[in-house]
Amino acid sequence: MKIKLLVTGGTIDKVYNKLNGALEFNESHIEDMLIRGRVTNDISVGKILLKDSLDFTNEDRRVIISECNKCPLDKIVITHGTDTMCQTAQEISQKVKNKTIVLFGSMTPYSIKNSDALLNLGLAIAAVQLKKHGVYIAMNGKVFDCDNVKKNKELGIFERLKVQG
């Protein structure tokens, strides 16, 4: 089973700048994460953006949607910043059909100790293989339907909007 992994940035790929104390982008850590996680799936990585999702424009989302639509594979995983992940997931679900797409990110950068990045990557890879066609978010050990999830900024977790019966 082949999987496409699209990199768009977000906290997961930020690094700490010792000179100014800021978190910023240098390059993606996804290749290293796949090696460190001993992922043996057939995954091809495509780097689209390296941005904080708060800085995403409508054009950035159009590019992500275009990449999903033109991808010949029906299994796609996308790295994404957590602040606007739900918005992007919902837009993808309206414009991309007949594919299983899972967005994930992290609350703490991969480059910082005790990051949730590897857990969320593993969860996303598992979810894209097991879920039916649709758009999902994989965070905090859970997989959410894109239309039934929100980021709880006070707790720093993703949660369902409503409990499913």
Coordinates of all heavy atoms in Angstrom, one line a residue, residues 84-125:
T84 N -5.0 25.9 12.6 CA -6.0 25.9 11.6 C -6.2 24.6 10.9 O -6.7 24.5 9.8 CB -5.6 27.0 10.5 OG1 -4.4 26.7 9.8 CG2 -5.5 28.4 11.2
M85 N -5.7 23.5 11.5 CA -5.8 22.2 11.0 C -7.3 21.8 10.7 O -7.6 21.3 9.6 CB -5.2 21.2 11.9 CG -5.2 19.8 11.4 SD -4.6 18.6 12.6 CE -2.9 19.1 12.9
C86 N -8.2 22.1 11.6 CA -9.6 21.8 11.4 C -10.2 22.5 10.1 O -10.9 21.9 9.4 CB -10.4 22.1 12.6 SG -9.9 21.2 14.1
Q87 N -9.8 23.8 10.0 CA -10.3 24.5 8.8 C -9.8 23.9 7.5 O -10.6 23.7 6.6 CB -9.8 26.0 8.9 CG -10.2 26.8 7.7 CD -9.6 28.2 7.8 OE1 -9.1 28.7 8.8 NE2 -9.7 28.9 6.7
T88 N -8.5 23.6 7.4 CA -8.0 23.0 6.2 C -8.6 21.7 6.0 O -9.0 21.4 4.8 CB -6.5 22.9 6.3 OG1 -5.9 24.2 6.5 CG2 -5.9 22.3 5.1
A89 N -8.8 20.9 7.0 CA -9.4 19.5 6.8 C -10.8 19.6 6.2 O -11.2 18.9 5.3 CB -9.4 18.8 8.1
Q90 N -11.6 20.6 6.7 CA -12.9 20.7 6.3 C -13.0 21.2 4.8 O -13.8 20.8 4.0 CB -13.7 21.7 7.2 CG -14.0 21.1 8.5 CD -14.6 22.0 9.5 OE1 -14.9 23.2 9.2 NE2 -14.8 21.6 10.7
E91 N -12.0 22.1 4.4 CA -12.0 22.6 3.1 C -11.5 21.4 2.1 O -12.1 21.3 1.0 CB -11.0 23.8 2.9 CG -11.6 25.0 3.5 CD -10.8 26.3 3.3 OE1 -10.1 26.4 2.2 OE2 -10.7 27.1 4.1
I92 N -10.6 20.6 2.6 CA -10.2 19.5 1.8 C -11.4 18.5 1.6 O -11.6 18.0 0.5 CB -9.0 18.7 2.4 CG1 -7.7 19.6 2.4 CG2 -8.8 17.4 1.7 CD1 -6.6 19.0 3.2
S93 N -12.1 18.3 2.6 CA -13.3 17.3 2.5 C -14.3 17.8 1.5 O -15.0 16.9 0.9 CB -13.9 17.1 3.9 OG -14.6 18.2 4.3
Q94 N -14.4 19.1 1.3 CA -15.4 19.6 0.3 C -14.9 19.5 -1.1 O -15.7 19.5 -2.0 CB -15.7 21.1 0.7 CG -16.4 21.2 2.0 CD -16.5 22.7 2.5 OE1 -16.1 23.6 1.7 NE2 -16.9 22.9 3.7
K95 N -13.6 19.4 -1.3 CA -13.0 19.6 -2.6 C -12.2 18.4 -3.1 O -11.8 18.4 -4.3 CB -12.2 20.8 -2.7 CG -13.0 22.1 -2.5 CD -12.2 23.3 -2.5 CE -13.2 24.5 -2.2 NZ -12.6 25.6 -1.7
V96 N -12.0 17.4 -2.3 CA -11.3 16.2 -2.7 C -12.1 14.9 -2.3 O -12.5 14.8 -1.2 CB -9.9 16.1 -1.9 CG1 -9.1 14.8 -2.4 CG2 -9.1 17.3 -2.2
K97 N -12.3 14.1 -3.3 CA -13.2 13.0 -3.1 C -12.4 11.7 -3.4 O -11.4 11.7 -4.1 CB -14.4 13.0 -4.1 CG -15.2 14.3 -3.8 CD -15.8 14.4 -2.4 CE -16.6 15.7 -2.2 NZ -16.8 16.0 -0.8
N98 N -13.0 10.6 -2.9 CA -12.4 9.2 -3.2 C -11.0 9.0 -2.8 O -10.2 8.3 -3.4 CB -12.6 8.9 -4.7 CG -14.0 8.9 -5.1 OD1 -14.9 8.4 -4.4 ND2 -14.3 9.5 -6.3
K99 N -10.6 9.6 -1.7 CA -9.3 9.5 -1.1 C -9.5 9.4 0.4 O -10.4 10.0 1.0 CB -8.4 10.6 -1.5 CG -8.1 10.6 -3.0 CD -7.1 11.7 -3.4 CE -7.0 11.7 -4.9 NZ -5.7 11.8 -5.4
T100 N -8.5 8.8 1.1 CA -8.4 8.8 2.5 C -7.3 9.8 2.9 O -6.1 9.6 2.5 CB -8.1 7.5 3.1 OG1 -9.1 6.5 2.7 CG2 -8.1 7.5 4.6
I101 N -7.6 10.9 3.6 CA -6.6 11.9 3.9 C -6.6 12.1 5.4 O -7.7 12.3 6.0 CB -7.0 13.2 3.2 CG1 -7.0 13.0 1.6 CG2 -6.0 14.3 3.5 CD1 -7.5 14.1 0.8
V102 N -5.4 12.1 6.0 CA -5.3 12.3 7.4 C -4.3 13.4 7.7 O -3.1 13.3 7.2 CB -4.8 11.0 8.1 CG1 -4.7 11.2 9.6 CG2 -5.7 9.8 7.8
L103 N -4.7 14.4 8.4 CA -3.9 15.5 8.8 C -3.4 15.3 10.2 O -4.1 14.8 11.1 CB -4.6 16.9 8.8 CG -4.9 17.4 7.4 CD1 -6.1 16.7 6.7 CD2 -5.2 18.9 7.5
F104 N -2.2 15.7 10.5 CA -1.6 15.6 11.8 C -0.6 16.6 12.0 O -0.1 17.3 11.1 CB -1.0 14.2 12.1 CG 0.4 14.0 11.5 CD1 1.5 14.1 12.3 CD2 0.5 13.8 10.1 CE1 2.8 14.0 11.7 CE2 1.8 13.6 9.6 CZ 2.9 13.7 10.4
G105 N -0.2 16.9 13.3 CA 0.8 17.8 13.6 C 1.3 17.5 15.0 O 1.2 16.4 15.5
S106 N 1.8 18.5 15.7 CA 2.2 18.3 17.1 C 2.0 19.6 17.9 O 2.1 20.7 17.3 CB 3.6 17.8 17.2 OG 4.5 18.8 16.7
M107 N 1.9 19.4 19.2 CA 1.8 20.6 20.1 C 3.2 21.1 20.5 O 3.3 22.2 20.8 CB 0.9 20.3 21.3 CG -0.5 19.8 21.0 SD -1.4 20.9 20.0 CE -2.0 22.0 21.2
T108 N 4.1 20.2 20.4 CA 5.5 20.5 20.7 C 6.4 20.1 19.5 O 6.2 19.0 19.0 CB 6.0 19.7 22.0 OG1 5.1 20.0 23.0 CG2 7.4 20.0 22.4
P109 N 7.3 20.9 19.1 CA 8.1 20.6 17.9 C 8.9 19.2 18.1 O 9.3 18.9 19.2 CB 9.2 21.7 17.9 CG 8.5 22.9 18.5 CD 7.7 22.2 19.6
Y110 N 9.0 18.5 17.0 CA 9.8 17.3 17.0 C 11.2 17.5 17.6 O 11.7 16.6 18.3 CB 9.9 16.7 15.6 CG 10.8 15.6 15.4 CD1 10.5 14.3 15.9 CD2 12.0 15.7 14.8 CE1 11.3 13.2 15.8 CE2 12.9 14.6 14.6 CZ 12.6 13.4 15.2 OH 13.4 12.4 15.0
S111 N 11.8 18.6 17.3 CA 13.1 18.9 17.8 C 13.3 19.1 19.3 O 14.4 19.2 19.8 CB 13.7 20.1 17.0 OG 12.9 21.2 17.4
I112 N 12.2 19.1 20.0 CA 12.2 19.4 21.4 C 11.8 18.1 22.2 O 10.9 17.4 21.8 CB 11.3 20.5 21.8 CG1 11.8 21.8 21.2 CG2 11.1 20.7 23.3 CD1 11.0 23.0 21.5
K113 N 12.5 17.8 23.2 CA 12.3 16.6 24.0 C 10.9 16.4 24.5 O 10.2 17.4 24.8 CB 13.2 16.6 25.3 CG 13.2 15.4 26.1 CD 14.2 15.4 27.2 CE 14.2 14.2 28.1 NZ 15.1 14.2 29.2
N114 N 10.4 15.2 24.5 CA 9.0 14.9 24.9 C 7.9 15.4 23.9 O 6.8 15.6 24.3 CB 8.7 15.3 26.3 CG 9.6 14.6 27.3 OD1 9.9 13.4 27.1 ND2 10.0 15.3 28.3
S115 N 8.3 15.5 22.6 CA 7.3 16.0 21.6 C 6.3 14.9 21.4 O 6.6 13.7 21.5 CB 8.1 16.3 20.3 OG 7.1 16.5 19.3
D116 N 5.1 15.2 21.0 CA 4.1 14.3 20.6 C 4.1 14.0 19.1 O 3.3 13.3 18.6 CB 2.7 14.9 21.0 CG 2.5 16.3 20.4 OD1 3.4 17.0 20.2 OD2 1.3 16.6 20.2
A117 N 5.2 14.5 18.4 CA 5.2 14.4 17.0 C 5.3 12.9 16.5 O 4.5 12.6 15.5 CB 6.4 15.1 16.4
L118 N 6.1 12.1 17.1 CA 6.2 10.7 16.6 C 4.9 9.9 16.8 O 4.5 9.1 15.9 CB 7.4 10.0 17.2 CG 8.8 10.3 16.7 CD1 9.9 9.6 17.5 CD2 8.8 9.8 15.2
L119 N 4.3 10.1 17.9 CA 3.0 9.4 18.2 C 2.0 9.8 17.1 O 1.3 9.0 16.6 CB 2.5 9.8 19.6 CG 1.0 9.3 19.9 CD1 1.0 7.8 19.9 CD2 0.5 9.9 21.1
N120 N 1.9 11.1 16.9 CA 0.9 11.6 15.9 C 1.2 11.1 14.5 O 0.3 10.8 13.7 CB 0.8 13.1 16.0 CG 0.2 13.5 17.4 OD1 -0.5 12.8 18.0 ND2 0.6 14.7 17.8
L121 N 2.5 11.1 14.1 CA 2.9 10.5 12.8 C 2.4 9.1 12.7 O 1.8 8.7 11.7 CB 4.4 10.7 12.6 CG 4.9 9.9 11.4 CD1 4.4 10.5 10.1 CD2 6.5 10.0 11.4
G122 N 2.8 8.3 13.7 CA 2.4 6.9 13.7 C 0.9 6.7 13.6 O 0.4 5.8 12.8
L123 N 0.2 7.4 14.4 CA -1.3 7.4 14.4 C -1.8 7.7 13.0 O -2.7 7.0 12.5 CB -1.9 8.3 15.4 CG -3.4 8.3 15.6 CD1 -3.9 7.0 15.9 CD2 -3.8 9.4 16.6
A124 N -1.3 8.8 12.4 CA -1.8 9.2 11.0 C -1.5 8.1 10.0 O -2.4 7.8 9.1 CB -1.1 10.5 10.6
I125 N -0.3 7.5 10.0 CA 0.0 6.4 9.1 C -0.9 5.2 9.3 O -1.4 4.6 8.3 CB 1.5 6.0 9.2 CG1 2.4 7.2 8.7 CG2 1.8 4.8 8.4 CD1 3.9 7.0 9.0

